[in-house]
Amino acid sequence: GTGNVLVQVSNDGSGIEDSTAYFDYVPDEAVSSVFPAYGSAAGTTRVTINGQNFVNGPGLACRFGVSLGVPDYQSSGEVHCIAPFHEPGVFEVQVSNNGLDFSPS
């Protein structure tokens, strides 16, 4: 499911410590299209990434292969990203809401 849940910790498995820490479950982000589909290997191409469940937050990231671009949140269905310098070739474009877990392409 999705939603905000309280994080609780136990040192011995029997007592639960009070906590004010929360973890937010959100739907998985997904990429459905990328435009333009190509750009200069020197980077700086502004790419529009369409999909779903993008979250405007500090963990928002976009990745071209293994290289990170610069994301700019537009909506839950669109992110603009400045493509980084990259060797020529075809690479997956992915988005992450937390900077760790990237969408499948």
Side-chain angles (χ1 to χ4, degrees), residues 14-100:
S14 64
I16 301 294
E17 299 295 320
D18 288 337
S19 171
T20 58
Y22 287 87
F23 185 84
D24 196 15
Y25 286 93
V26 297
D28 290 339
E29 60 279 334
V31 172
S32 58
S33 67
V34 175
F35 181 82
Y38 60 89
S40 170
T44 71
T45 301
R46 183 175 173 260
V47 177
T48 298
I49 303 170
N50 290 301
Q52 59 188 13
N53 303 321
F54 302 143
V55 174
N56 188 14
L60 182 65
C62 54
R63 183 167 74 181
F64 296 74
V66 296
S67 300
L68 293 174
V70 178
D72 182 21
Y73 179 87
Q74 300 298 305
S75 70
S76 64
E78 184 175 308
V79 172
H80 294 168
C81 192
I82 303 300
F85 167 84
H86 209 295
E87 64 187 56
V90 178
F91 300 93
E92 286 185 303
V93 176
Q94 300 171 296
V95 173
S96 173
N97 287 325
N98 64 10
L100 299 171

